[in-house]
Amino acid sequence: MNYLKKLQIVLVVFFISGCAANIKEVIHTPINVDQNVQNHSVYLDVSPAKSLSKSKDLTRSIGELEQLISKNFSVVKNKSSSNLVVNISIENFRFVSGFGRFMAGAIVGNAQLMLKIKITELSSGKVIGESFFDTQSEFSEGVFGATTSRQLEAMAMKITEYINSTSKNT
């Protein structure tokens, strides 16, 4: 009986936990700036591409992404009071909830998130970095596949690393 309880606990942990989102990056313009971004304010503009259908899930995901990125920078609401403008366009999006992934596994489909990031230095108007970040869960991951919330967390970390990489050039 003790063996069955341990097995049940292990199975529950496996079903609740999941894989982190794997992010593919295509850098179009490497970041090249002569200032430390961590000490400057950032204007953040996250918006869906015109080709995407608007939904509650998309709107909620945009807010969540903004909130996750805001934890790492001094994000301002007024563009003129910032040093950097970070434009993030959501190019591809398919929402998959954790509950849906847990209950139906791969049957709910793949969570998809593709972002286009463009970083502009406000004083010069020069684009200092431009990249695409893409992630999606795979059918073979089943219940362990990444959900949209995990993808947003991974994307926020990747975007933060991308912006912070400018500090290495000082």
Side-chain angles (χ1 to χ4, degrees), residues 4-108:
L4 286 175
K5 286 183 182 181
K6 288 180 183 179
L7 182 62
Q8 287 175 337
I9 291 171
V10 169
L11 289 175
V12 167
V13 169
F14 278 129
F15 282 117
I16 292 174
S17 66
C19 296
N22 295 321
I23 298 174
K24 298 174 194 115
E25 179 179 5
V26 179
I27 297 178
H28 291 291
T29 307
I31 289 181
N32 185 14
V33 67
D34 297 327
Q35 48 183 312
N36 187 341
V37 178
Q38 294 170 331
N39 297 327
H40 297 289
S41 57
V42 173
Y43 176 77
L44 186 61
D45 177 29
V46 182
S47 59
K50 290 178 176 50
S51 61
L52 288 179
S53 301
K54 295 191 179 184
S55 68
K56 285 191 302 183
D57 294 328
L58 179 60
T59 303
R60 188 176 33 236
S61 295
I62 288 172
E64 187 177 340
L65 184 62
E66 288 174 340
Q67 182 182 15
L68 290 165
I69 294 171
S70 296
K71 291 179 182 179
N72 300 301
F73 298 103
S74 172
V75 176
V76 295
K77 299 286 183 191
N78 186 356
K79 189 186 238 183
S80 62
S81 62
S82 68
N83 299 63
L84 291 178
V85 177
V86 179
N87 294 91
I88 300 172
S89 174
I90 300 176
E91 301 293 316
N92 189 12
F93 178 80
R94 183 166 188 288
F95 183 82
V96 173
S97 70
F99 180 75
R101 176 69 67 201
F102 175 72
M103 294 306 290
I107 295 170
V108 297

